[in-house]
Amino acid sequence: MSTSSTQSRGLNRRINSLQSEDRLSRHGSHSHQRKNSIDYNQAYTHALRVAYLVYLLQPRQKKIQHVPAPQQIARAGTGVDWMKEIKTISTSNSGRFPKGFMTELGKRLEEVFKGTEKLPEYKDPLIRRTFSAFLIQFQDKNYRKTLDTDRTVEPLALMFISRATGELRKGKAPDDDSWKMMSERHLAMFIRLLRAVLKDKNHHEWARDRPELTARLETLERKILQMDEDLTSASTLTSGAGTTIEVEVPLSHEVKDMPLVQRVARIFGLTNTMAQSDINKNRPVWTIKAAVSDLKTYQANLSLNTRHTLRNEDFDTDNAFELWRDAEKSEVAAMITALVKQDPGAISAIAKAPRPSSGGVSHSPADSGYSETIRRVSEPTDHDSYAFDQPVDVSGLNLSDDGSDKSETGDSPYVFIPPDPRSYFKFVLMQILSYDFSQGQQPGSDIIPNSSNLLSNQSLELLGEIAMRWRIPHFSRSVLFLDAAKDKFMDQDIDINQLDMAFQSVKEYAQDSKHFSKSAISSGELFYDKENWTIADFALYRAVVSAIYEALLRDLYNIMLQCYEQKPPTIGNVMLFLQEHLHSDPQFSPSADEEKRFQDALANGLKEKAREVYSELVKDKVPEEQNWEFYHIIQLGQAVMKLAERLQKRYRKSPEIMGVNPMMIYIKTVLPAFADDARDMIVEILADAKDNDPVPMEDGFDLYKELKDIRRIFADALPGVPFTIPIEELLNDFVWRLIADVDKKLLTSAENAIKRDDFRVRTSHPEGASDDERHSTSIMDMYQFFNQSIQQLIGLEWDDDLQYAKFMTALSRSVGGALSRYCEIVFEMFKKEMSRISPAQEAALTQSKQEKWMQAAKDAWSNKEKIEPFQFYPQSLVKLNNIEWATYQLDDIQRRVDVDTLATIVKKRAPPLTHRQKRTNNYFFTIKIVEAENLKACDVSGYSDPYVVLGDEYQKRLAKTRIIYSNLNPRWDETVEITTAGPINIIATIWDWDTLGPHDYVGRTNFKLDPSAFSDYLPQDIWADLDTQGRLLLRVSMEGERDDIEFYYGKAFRTLKRTEREMTRSITDKLSAYIRLCLSRTTLRGLLSKGISMASVSSLFSRNRTSAPPPGPSDVEIYRALDPLTDYFNDNFYIMRETLTSSAMIMVMTRLWKEVLTTLESLLVPPLSDKPSSQRQLSQQEVDIVFKWLQHLLEFFQAIDEETGESLGVPVEILKSTKYIDLVSINFFYNQSTEDLIRTSERTASAAASRNRISAPPSMTPNNQHVWAGSSMLLSVPSARRAKSIMRSRTLGTMRQAKAEKRKEAQAEPSDDMILRILRMRPEAERYLKDRARQKEKLAAQAAADAIVRQSVNASNRMMSRDHQVGGGERMR
């Protein structure tokens, strides 16, 4: 059939053929399925015939028979032209060895040499010797390179025979030719080794891919070893004369020697005796000759295209038919040749075989073909059951002219082939399946490597022989096997796994091409090439697949309805089968309507099943009585979610099963029902709790977490569908209860934590402790409780942002209150520890009054002040570390809580002003006790030791300052915070501290804290006159207490920082007395007096000499004067460094540096005031000494490392503060004239007034004595801004920002304060100072009034704007 004719038939013929019933019911086709049932006995008989034929074709066994043998004639060789055979093999297309072969051959040669070769024939010493000689040459690099390139047998054989001949000739006589025979036999053993390497189990693909090379090598070996001489026999290896011969064992024809016959008998339920009887009865008929006759008849029918074979009409295309026919001809010819080789007498059956009626078809000539067949099958060769070395084509034989087609009469023309091979094969296959399943046979793996079969090895062998003898095409075997497996699956005799094994078996490739024709069920590549199948096989395959698909859908539906159970059956096998065997098959295409019906049915079934499952969960988790608890809702929710999670995990890789998502169906069905039930239960439980015991908080939180997770899944699964449980609205009361409980615990947490604390560094070696170990347990316990409370609230993950912000605000109020209480208690303990009396003071307690007066007189006469170094307690320093650590921890909490975001949420979502509380209930006053002037002297030394006590009108003490020793113009700079709901009178009393007896009264004043007077929230300076003499400066500011998270955190930060500053000040106060002693005018006088000698004194009386100023002290003497102070610092720093952290140490040193600057400043100028000062101005020499002290102490506090140049002390940017810059500027103005200083002061004040946009009044010139153009009117007024408010202190960042702004403002607005302080030492500037003071007060009052007006206008504008927004919103509504 030409290609063009094949294409002209079209590709639609298969579809048209499947739609035509006439095509499938054609009577002339070999593939026609008879409707009549197969006779059980006939099926048994035909199976028995094949099993018996296999027995006849099996290789004959041989046995050694000892008989007197005549002396053999010595031969010089085998007579075989092995050189020609090797040349033929090497030049053929398939004569090359695979890559890597030479490497494996070398390994085997080494094993022969070592005697470890597994084949016994290679253990002979003579063989090992010849192989060893060849191995030496084989390992030569040049020779090996040639072998790797050529990869043929010729160079190997030539080199081996050369080396073997050399070895075998050694020791032989010149006329002894026996070595020639032995060398060729050794060559045969070498060729056998080549075959063994090809068939090595580690490279099984070599023999599979090169079957022709393997067969040719085997044939050559046999030809060389004629007469089956074995090299391992002693007779062969010695003289060549044998005393034994091998003879074939005749067939016994007994069933006990026929494994397949026994198998057939067991399959059909018969005994071996019955099978033996059938064989004995039919032995004359069931012969090899009959098998040859069947094949020749079949071959003739195939050539004549009769109805006893497949015909063109049975295939979809002509090409498919031709492919099958060509393969069939070749295979039948090979089978005939194998049969004739087994029984040469069967050749006569070829001549006697009947020739079917040709029906007009011409026959090919017979003579030439017949003679060639007789010649080929008569050649001596080895044989097995049906295979041969090189096939002979006998399809062209015309065996007889006398033949008729017996099928016309209805009888089968064959002995071994049944009338309907397909039906008989299917029947036998069903019987074998039933038998193997009943016997529990384990699947074998010898027919199809690396796979499993439904059948046992022996059954597979039997089926393979039957299919081959009955001429069942390979694809038909596969389809019939699947049809049988389908029937067994429908009858539930096999499961899905075994059905999968059936499909896998038919898809596996037959690895052994030599025995492919005997493969029982595998069709190899033909299974995927369905275009070359018969129409009947294709139709049957479609029917099988469709039936299996419908059955699997039913199974899948039933399995999926159990998916909500605890351990449902797996669908993996079903889905895997559908994917691998059905959906991947291009010939299988289920209709869309069929799939849609299945999806709808499955979805409806799953919905109903989900309702049933939820009902069971409710019955199991919720009691029927209405004594419900949150625990029941949680249990129900957890059960619902647990099943959802199990479904998600179960179907993680494939969420949809045939287009249906069981988890989504479950969620969409169950979650809405759960939400309704849970809401009703919560309302009922909360209503019942109002009259009975409240629900535990933990139950409420557990319920919230559970419901929140369910709501999240609900929102993902059902977007747009409202969740019917208002969780936050129902459960927010539990959070408020938590906050109230935390607030109660925090009230006592500070006291309890302090009681348990010994305030020690938390290490056994304080000098080696890190900064993280230098705070004690009390503050750690406090913050642990803070973090636990905050984390508990954060852990709720509250979804209502406004409610969450309010929760955090309330919690911040509690945290701030606890920190304030902690600071209060710790600072009181710190003050007591720092206020302990010195040993000298303790000794003075035992002195009499007269002794005290005498000691005071001595001290006054000698001008001596006793300053003793203060021994700090480590506990006191640890308290400072605690406050510092608390500040950093609070800043960390503030960042974690994200205070700014929460405050923004509250501001954006706060109700309009009309709905909020308009007035502030509490006011937060900050009172800074700055300084006092011209106090009354209460001590005999002419000084006082003043401190201030603040109290309210009910004589309740509110605050107390530290003691400033020996000072009538003390400066405290201490801050007090007072919270009040309305106006309050404050009484400030100054006392003089005495060691013995009651403290002396210095003076008293009072002032009123009225919120209305501070409505501008700006700080005010109050100079309050004392009732005795002098006055007290107070700086008062007010803030309205706000329910704001930023306010509470800011208040807590400011409390910590102020406590930290007060502690630092208390520490430095203990050192300040010694600082004032060392940096005093007395020290200056002492330095200058050292340069006065008797010569200098006598020169004063010399009239003839010009007097010169006395020489001043050298730099060394100036710096040496500070040695006591620096030593004192170092001693105290050493004590502090053992306990304080690095940052706390820098803080204390910075405070000491500030005290140094203040002391040096007091040497140069008096404090700022409008009154003249009695302090005299220093000489230029004294001023130079002061500034050299300043530079020396700057370097001391900076502590530069000489080697690295790194600062180990206070950073230079901190040392060179604004106060330092002001102090340095004094040197520029100090010795200027009064007129120049006044002019400079006027220019500075005028510039400041211009910046502040304040108009200066007309100038006043008193009596025209000095040109002070408007000096009393030009006063600088500080900008009206809030200083150190709580909102500016809410974080460490805002504090640093405020300091930076203050420093920047001081640099941008230079002040003339230093000039005014210098002018206080000039009596002629008295009037200027008073005028400036009066004008400053007036302008400050005017600025405050302007600020109040601006604040009122801004507030009015904001109110109008909000009213407009509210009105607009109402109109919109």
Side-chain angles (χ1 to χ4, degrees):
M1 185 71 67
S2 65
T3 305
S4 59
S5 63
T6 302
Q7 294 176 350
S8 66
R9 299 178 63 178
L11 298 176
N12 294 327
R13 178 179 172 185
R14 176 181 298 274
I15 300 176
N16 297 332
S17 300
L18 291 176
Q19 295 174 350
S20 174
E21 295 182 359
D22 293 338
R23 285 281 290 167
L24 296 178
S25 60
R26 215 175 40 249
H27 295 291
S29 176
H30 174 70
S31 63
H32 170 63
Q33 297 281 352
R34 283 185 172 85
K35 295 183 180 180
N36 298 330
S37 60
I38 302 300
D39 182 73
Y40 188 87
N41 292 328
Q42 287 294 324
Y44 156 72
T45 301
H46 280 86
L48 186 64
R49 297 176 189 181
V50 173
Y52 178 66
L53 180 60
V54 172
Y55 171 73
L56 295 178
L57 296 176
Q58 68 180 0
R60 300 291 188 267
Q61 294 183 359
K62 296 181 180 181
K63 65 179 180 178
I64 302 298
Q65 184 174 352
H66 295 272
V67 295
Q71 184 68 29
Q72 296 183 359
I73 302 174
R75 293 179 295 171
T78 60
V80 178
D81 190 359
W82 54 267
M83 282 293 300
K84 181 179 179 181
E85 296 289 340
I86 289 177
K87 190 73 174 178
T88 303
I89 296 174
S90 299
T91 56
S92 64
N93 294 332
S94 60
R96 290 171 62 87
F97 293 110
K99 292 183 178 180
F101 178 83
M102 298 301 170
T103 302
E104 294 297 325
L105 177 61
K107 294 179 182 179
R108 296 295 288 269
L109 289 172
E110 291 178 359
E111 291 178 358
V112 173
F113 170 72
K114 297 176 183 179
T116 59
E117 172 59 40
K118 56 186 176 181
L119 298 178
E121 55 266 31
Y122 294 95
K123 297 186 182 297
D124 180 73
L126 188 59
I127 291 179
R128 290 176 59 187
R129 197 176 81 186
T130 57
F131 273 67
S132 300
F134 172 73
L135 177 61
I136 295 173
Q137 180 63 30
F138 182 81
Q139 292 176 342
D140 181 72
K141 293 182 179 179
N142 295 329
Y143 179 66
R144 178 64 180 274
K145 184 176 180 181
T146 303
L147 294 179
D148 290 337
T149 303
D150 188 66
R151 299 206 322 268
T152 59
V153 69
E154 183 177 2
L156 285 171
L158 292 177
M159 182 55 66
F160 180 84
I161 198 67
S162 173
R163 294 298 178 181
T165 301
E167 288 297 321
L168 293 174
R169 291 182 62 180
K170 292 180 180 180
K172 299 290 185 182
D175 57 346
D176 188 358
D177 294 337
S178 62
W179 56 269
K180 295 183 179 180
M181 177 72 71
M182 190 61 64
S183 64
E184 292 184 1
R185 290 172 180 167
H186 281 216
L187 175 63
M189 294 302 295
F190 179 70
I191 293 174
R192 180 179 298 180
L193 186 65
L194 296 180
R195 286 177 53 231
V197 174
L198 274 177
K199 294 182 179 181
D200 186 80
K201 63 179 180 180
N202 296 325
H203 302 282
H204 57 81
E205 70 277 2
W206 287 356
R208 182 193 64 192
D209 297 339
R210 291 167 174 77
E212 183 178 350
L213 176 61
T214 306
R216 287 178 179 270
L217 291 175
E218 183 179 2
T219 302
L220 176 59
E221 177 192 346
R222 290 176 178 173
K223 288 182 178 180
I224 296 176
L225 296 177
Q226 291 182 3
M227 299 177 64
D228 294 329
E229 292 180 337
D230 191 352
L231 291 180
T232 59
S233 61
S235 60
T236 305
L237 295 176
T238 56
S239 63
T243 59
T244 61
I245 61 173
E246 287 185 341
V247 296
E248 291 185 353
V249 179
L251 297 176
S252 64
H253 295 282
E254 296 181 1
V255 172
K256 64 181 181 65
D257 297 329
M258 307 175 188
L260 288 187
V261 171
Q262 298 177 29
R263 189 70 172 181
V264 170
R266 290 194 297 269
I267 289 173
F268 285 90
L270 303 177
T271 63
N272 290 346
T273 303
M274 298 172 67
Q276 185 70 61
S277 175
D278 293 335
I279 289 175
N280 294 337
K281 182 173 61 177
N282 295 285
R283 275 178 60 185
V285 180
W286 299 348
T287 62
I288 295 178
K289 294 180 180 180
V292 172
S293 178
D294 281 359
L295 289 177
K296 288 311 298 177
T297 303
Y298 177 82
Q299 192 178 50
N301 288 326
L302 184 63
S303 300
L304 298 174
N305 199 20
T306 67
R307 60 189 294 270
H308 288 288
T309 63
L310 293 176
R311 295 189 295 178
N312 186 294
E313 290 81 359
D314 294 314
F315 291 87
D316 190 40
T317 63
D318 294 341
N319 185 45
F321 171 69
E322 291 172 358
L323 288 175
W324 170 83
R325 185 178 61 182
D326 292 343
E328 190 74 357
K329 287 180 179 180
S330 176
E331 190 169 343
V332 169
M335 293 174 63
I336 294 175
T337 302
L339 291 172
V340 172
K341 287 169 63 178
Q342 182 69 16
D343 185 6
I347 296 177
S348 59
I350 298 177
K352 297 179 181 179
R355 182 170 57 189
S357 176
S358 64
V361 179
S362 62
H363 307 301
S364 57
D367 295 340
S368 61
Y370 178 79
S371 60
E372 178 66 17
T373 301
I374 297 298
R375 186 188 68 80
R376 294 292 300 272
V377 302
S378 300
E379 292 182 356
T381 180
D382 284 351
H383 49 79
D384 54 15
S385 61
Y386 61 90
F388 54 95
D389 293 328
Q390 296 183 2
V392 180
D393 186 6
V394 294
S395 59
L397 292 177
N398 187 3
L399 303 176
S400 174
D401 293 336
D402 185 16
S404 61
D405 191 353
K406 295 184 180 180
S407 63
E408 299 295 335
T409 63
D411 297 331
S412 174
Y414 309 111
V415 174
F416 290 95
I417 303 176
D420 187 354
R422 286 174 58 93
S423 299
Y424 273 80
F425 184 80
K426 169 71 178 300
F427 185 87
V428 174
L429 181 58
M430 293 292 290
Q431 299 300 318
I432 291 177
L433 285 171
S434 299
Y435 175 77
D436 280 359
F437 293 155
S438 65
Q439 297 298 317
Q441 295 286 351
Q442 295 296 325
S445 59
D446 56 339
I447 298 299
I448 304 176
N450 302 322
S451 67
S452 298
N453 297 316
L454 289 177
L455 305 175
S456 62
N457 295 338
Q458 202 170 24
S459 297
L460 286 172
E461 181 183 0
L462 175 62
L463 275 177
E465 293 288 346
I466 290 175
M468 182 187 65
R469 301 301 170 186
W470 292 358
R471 305 312 306 145
I472 305 295
H474 294 286
F475 43 78
S476 298
R477 303 176 194 180
S478 300
V479 173
L480 292 173
F481 177 71
L482 293 180
D483 187 27
K486 179 264 297 180
D487 292 343
K488 290 293 183 182
F489 179 70
M490 295 296 185
D491 297 337
Q492 298 184 355
D493 291 336
I494 63 175
D495 57 18
I496 185 67
N497 293 323
Q498 293 169 313
L499 184 63
D500 175 71
M501 289 167 57
F503 272 80
Q504 291 290 353
S505 299
V506 300
K507 291 181 179 180
E508 292 287 346
Y509 289 92
Q511 300 295 332
D512 190 355
S513 59
K514 182 177 179 180
H515 297 89
F516 180 72
S517 60
K518 293 198 297 180
S519 177
I521 55 177
S522 174
S523 55
E525 295 181 352
L526 296 176
F527 182 79
Y528 299 98
D529 190 14
K530 297 182 177 61
E531 293 294 330
N532 294 322
W533 285 15
T534 64
I535 297 175
D537 286 325
F538 185 80
L540 179 59
Y541 177 76
R542 288 289 300 270
V544 169
V545 171
S546 298
I548 292 176
Y549 181 69
E550 294 177 0
L552 291 180
L553 288 186
R554 288 192 296 270
D555 291 347
L556 182 61
Y557 178 85
N558 295 328
I559 294 174
M560 287 303 298
L561 289 186
Q562 306 175 57
C563 68
Y564 300 141
E565 296 180 0
Q566 181 70 24
K567 293 183 179 180
T570 179
I571 64 169
N573 295 334
V574 177
M575 298 305 299
L576 183 63
F577 188 94
L578 291 173
Q579 179 64 31
E580 291 191 354
H581 303 307
L582 299 186
H583 292 154
S584 62
D585 193 340
Q587 278 74 31
F588 175 75
S589 56
S591 64
D593 293 340
E594 184 179 2
E595 291 186 350
K596 184 64 170 57
R597 285 194 301 271
F598 174 77
Q599 292 174 1
D600 294 342
L602 181 57
N604 293 331
L606 290 176
K607 289 179 183 178
E608 185 62 30
K609 196 67 178 179
R611 296 188 189 98
E612 296 177 4
V613 169
Y614 177 69
S615 299
E616 293 296 327
L617 291 177
V618 172
K619 292 179 182 179
D620 182 47
K621 304 299 181 182
V622 181
E624 296 182 359
E625 301 81 5
Q626 288 192 349
N627 52 347
W628 298 324
E629 297 179 3
F630 281 177
Y631 173 71
H632 298 131
I633 304 176
I634 295 173
Q635 273 194 322
L636 180 59
Q638 289 176 347
V640 170
M641 295 308 299
K642 184 177 180 181
L643 180 53
E645 292 173 358
R646 191 162 63 240
L647 291 172
Q648 184 181 22
K649 183 178 180 180
R650 184 177 301 156
Y651 302 106
R652 179 178 63 257
K653 295 182 179 179
S654 300
E656 290 191 355
I657 308 301
M658 299 292 290
V660 178
N661 192 321
M663 189 191 77
M664 295 304 298
I665 291 177
Y666 171 81
I667 291 175
K668 293 179 180 180
T669 304
V670 173
L671 289 193
F674 169 78
D676 294 339
D677 294 343
R679 180 198 59 216
D680 296 340
M681 292 176 66
I682 293 172
V683 172
E684 184 70 24
I685 292 171
L686 293 178
D688 184 67
K690 292 180 179 179
D691 301 329
N692 300 296
D693 295 335
V695 180
M697 285 189 298
E698 291 301 325
D699 289 355
F701 296 148
D702 292 342
L703 178 62
Y704 176 77
K705 294 177 182 178
E706 187 66 31
L707 293 180
K708 187 168 64 67
D709 291 340
I710 294 176
R711 179 174 61 186
R712 175 180 51 80
I713 297 176
F714 185 95
D716 294 340
L718 304 172
V721 178
F723 192 66
T724 57
I725 308 178
I727 308 175
E728 285 73 22
E729 180 182 346
L730 292 174
L731 301 179
N732 71 81
D733 184 61
F734 290 93
V735 185
W736 290 118
R737 286 170 54 188
L738 170 66
I739 295 173
D741 183 65
V742 170
D743 189 58
K744 291 179 182 178
K745 293 179 180 178
L746 285 176
L747 291 177
T748 58
S749 62
E751 291 88 344
N752 295 332
I754 292 172
K755 289 178 182 178
R756 296 189 299 266
D757 196 0
D758 57 357
F759 293 98
R760 298 282 183 180
V761 175
R762 293 174 293 106
T763 182
S764 57
H765 303 286
E767 66 279 359
S770 63
D771 284 353
D772 291 337
E773 297 174 331
R774 293 178 182 266
H775 50 271
S776 60
T777 58
S778 60
I779 194 63
M780 296 178 63
D781 294 342
M782 290 282 292
Y783 271 93
Q784 184 179 6
F785 187 73
F786 293 163
N787 288 321
Q788 287 176 353
S789 303
I790 293 172
Q791 193 59 43
Q792 187 175 5
L793 197 54
I794 294 175
L796 292 177
E797 298 180 358
W798 202 262
D799 281 345
D800 191 314
D801 294 340
L802 180 60
Q803 287 186 359
Y804 176 72
K806 291 181 178 180
F807 296 155
M808 281 299 182
T809 300
L811 190 58
S812 67
R813 180 175 59 244
S814 301
V815 170
L819 282 176
S820 178
R821 180 58 179 161
Y822 181 84
C823 291
E824 179 183 355
I825 298 174
V826 169
F827 186 62
E828 287 298 325
M829 297 172 63
F830 180 84
K831 286 198 301 184
K832 289 181 181 180
E833 294 166 356
M834 299 296 293
S835 300
R836 69 184 186 276
I837 60 177
S838 63
Q841 293 171 338
E842 185 177 0
L845 294 177
T846 60
Q847 292 179 347
S848 63
K849 188 174 183 179
Q850 184 178 2
E851 290 174 342
K852 293 178 183 178
W853 278 105
M854 290 296 295
Q855 184 65 38
K858 290 180 181 180
D859 293 341
W861 176 258
S862 61
N863 198 18
K864 177 184 177 183
E865 294 186 35
K866 290 187 177 179
I867 304 297
E868 298 179 358
F870 189 82
Q871 296 298 321
F872 296 97
Y873 287 160
Q875 297 91 322
S876 303
L877 301 179
V878 168
K879 291 181 176 65
L880 177 58
N881 291 341
N882 286 359
I883 299 300
E884 182 205 25
W885 187 81
T887 305
Y888 287 106
Q889 292 300 309
L890 186 65
D891 190 63
D892 180 68
I893 290 177
Q894 191 262 357
R895 286 195 301 270
R896 276 195 295 122
V897 172
D898 196 1
V899 170
D900 295 338
T901 302
L902 297 179
T904 303
I905 291 173
V906 174
K907 291 175 183 177
K908 287 184 178 180
R909 300 179 59 180
L913 183 63
T914 55
H915 299 289
R916 286 190 295 173
Q917 189 175 4
K918 295 183 179 180
R919 61 186 299 271
T920 304
N921 293 328
N922 294 322
Y923 298 92
F924 194 76
F925 282 95
T926 302
I927 304 173
K928 184 175 184 180
I929 305 172
V930 183
E931 61 180 343
E933 288 184 353
N934 195 24
L935 296 180
K936 182 179 68 173
C938 297
D939 295 337
V940 294
S941 61
Y943 293 97
S944 295
D945 301 325
Y947 65 91
V948 182
V949 176
L950 294 184
D952 60 9
E953 53 192 355
Y954 302 104
Q955 298 183 356
K956 178 183 177 181
R957 177 181 286 191
L958 301 177
K960 175 187 174 183
T961 67
R962 71 188 188 282
I963 303 168
I964 304 297
Y965 295 96
S966 302
N967 202 320
L968 298 180
N969 298 291
R971 188 177 186 88
W972 291 279
D973 285 331
E974 294 191 20
T975 303
V976 179
E977 295 177 350
I978 299 175
T979 303
T980 178
I984 183 175
N985 290 318
I986 301 298
I987 300 173
T989 305
I990 301 179
W991 298 90
D992 171 58
W993 182 86
D994 288 330
T995 305
L996 298 176
H999 297 181
D1000 296 329
Y1001 176 80
V1002 177
R1004 178 180 288 113
T1005 185
N1006 64 82
F1007 56 93
K1008 186 177 183 179
L1009 296 180
D1010 189 355
S1012 61
F1014 295 87
S1015 58
D1016 57 352
Y1017 297 102
L1018 297 176
Q1020 299 181 21
D1021 287 351
I1022 301 175
W1023 278 103
D1025 294 327
L1026 300 178
D1027 56 357
T1028 54
Q1029 73 175 54
R1031 59 180 181 171
L1032 177 67
L1033 177 59
L1034 303 169
R1035 184 168 293 126
V1036 183
S1037 61
M1038 185 194 73
E1039 294 183 67
E1041 189 172 24
R1042 299 158 49 184
D1043 187 19
D1044 183 272
I1045 190 170
E1046 290 181 320
F1047 178 84
Y1048 293 131
Y1049 273 101
K1051 185 177 179 181
F1053 268 113
R1054 192 163 71 169
T1055 300
L1056 289 169
K1057 293 304 290 183
R1058 285 183 175 174
T1059 304
E1060 184 181 70
R1061 284 195 297 270
E1062 293 299 328
M1063 286 183 169
T1064 306
R1065 181 182 288 113
S1066 298
I1067 293 174
T1068 57
D1069 283 348
K1070 296 301 178 182
L1071 309 180
S1072 60
Y1074 199 74
I1075 295 174
R1076 288 192 299 271
L1077 176 64
C1078 295
L1079 303 177
S1080 63
R1081 293 190 174 225
T1082 303
T1083 307
L1084 282 175
R1085 288 194 298 269
L1087 275 173
L1088 294 176
S1089 64
K1090 290 180 181 180
I1092 300 176
S1093 62
M1094 292 301 297
S1096 63
V1097 172
S1098 62
S1099 66
L1100 294 175
F1101 300 96
S1102 177
R1103 296 180 180 179
N1104 298 327
R1105 292 184 183 180
T1106 304
S1107 62
S1114 64
D1115 290 348
V1116 175
E1117 293 174 336
I1118 293 173
Y1119 297 148
R1120 189 178 298 164
L1122 295 179
D1123 287 347
L1125 179 61
T1126 54
D1127 292 342
Y1128 181 72
F1129 282 159
N1130 286 329
D1131 293 340
N1132 284 278
F1133 289 166
Y1134 178 78
I1135 297 173
M1136 295 178 191
R1137 194 174 289 111
E1138 289 182 347
T1139 306
L1140 287 179
T1141 62
S1142 301
S1143 56
M1145 190 67 197
I1146 296 296
M1147 184 169 53
V1148 171
M1149 294 176 67
T1150 303
R1151 180 63 192 177
L1152 280 174
W1153 171 247
K1154 186 176 181 181
E1155 190 69 26
V1156 168
L1157 294 178
T1158 302
T1159 303
L1160 292 177
E1161 185 183 65
S1162 65
L1163 284 177
L1164 296 170
V1165 293
L1168 186 63
S1169 178
D1170 60 344
K1171 298 178 181 180
S1173 174
S1174 59
Q1175 181 176 334
R1176 73 170 181 85
Q1177 189 169 342
L1178 298 179
S1179 65
Q1180 185 60 45
Q1181 197 174 26
E1182 292 173 329
V1183 171
D1184 292 341
I1185 293 174
V1186 170
F1187 280 101
K1188 288 181 179 179
W1189 282 351
L1190 176 63
Q1191 182 62 31
H1192 183 68
L1193 291 173
L1194 176 70
E1195 295 174 356
F1196 173 79
F1197 277 92
Q1198 191 176 359
I1200 299 295
D1201 191 337
E1202 295 180 358
E1203 295 182 358
T1204 63
E1206 181 183 1
S1207 176
L1208 303 179
V1210 183
V1212 66
E1213 59 270 14
I1214 297 178
L1215 293 175
K1216 293 185 177 182
S1217 61
T1218 304
K1219 193 173 189 66
Y1220 172 83
I1221 296 173
D1222 291 342
L1223 182 59
V1224 173
S1225 67
I1226 292 178
N1227 197 22
F1228 178 76
F1229 299 107
Y1230 201 73
N1231 290 319
Q1232 290 186 12
S1233 65
T1234 303
E1235 290 81 2
D1236 291 340
L1237 291 176
I1238 290 176
R1239 291 190 189 97
T1240 304
S1241 175
E1242 288 177 346
R1243 286 194 301 269
T1244 305
S1246 178
S1250 299
R1251 283 191 298 270
N1252 295 326
R1253 298 180 180 180
I1254 300 177
S1255 300
S1259 62
M1260 297 176 60
T1261 307
N1263 300 326
N1264 294 327
Q1265 295 179 1
H1266 301 284
V1267 185
W1268 291 353
S1271 60
S1272 63
M1273 302 299 177
L1274 299 178
L1275 300 174
S1276 63
V1277 180
S1279 59
R1281 66 177 181 85
R1282 300 178 63 181
K1284 293 186 178 180
S1285 66
I1286 289 178
M1287 298 305 293
R1288 292 171 63 86
S1289 306
R1290 64 183 183 272
T1291 65
L1292 292 178
T1294 57
M1295 290 181 180
R1296 297 188 188 100
Q1297 183 180 358
K1299 287 183 179 180
E1301 291 176 356
K1302 182 179 179 181
R1303 189 180 303 109
K1304 185 177 180 181
E1305 182 180 344
Q1307 295 174 356
E1309 298 184 2
S1311 174
D1312 63 340
D1313 288 349
M1314 281 300 175
I1315 299 177
L1316 294 177
R1317 294 173 69 175
I1318 296 174
L1319 289 174
R1320 285 194 64 196
M1321 296 184 293
R1322 311 286 177 90
E1324 61 272 19
E1326 179 180 0
R1327 184 177 177 182
Y1328 178 77
L1329 294 174
K1330 290 182 179 180
D1331 291 342
R1332 284 290 304 271
R1334 286 196 298 270
Q1335 191 63 24
K1336 186 175 181 180
E1337 293 175 0
K1338 181 178 178 180
L1339 293 179
Q1342 182 180 352
D1346 292 342
I1348 293 175
V1349 172
R1350 287 194 301 270
Q1351 184 179 6
S1352 300
V1353 172
N1354 293 335
S1356 177
N1357 292 336
R1358 287 194 299 268
M1359 185 176 298
M1360 293 176 62
S1361 176
R1362 290 184 179 179
D1363 290 343
H1364 178 72
Q1365 292 178 359
V1366 172
E1370 292 178 352
R1371 288 192 297 272
M1372 290 294 292
R1373 289 193 292 269

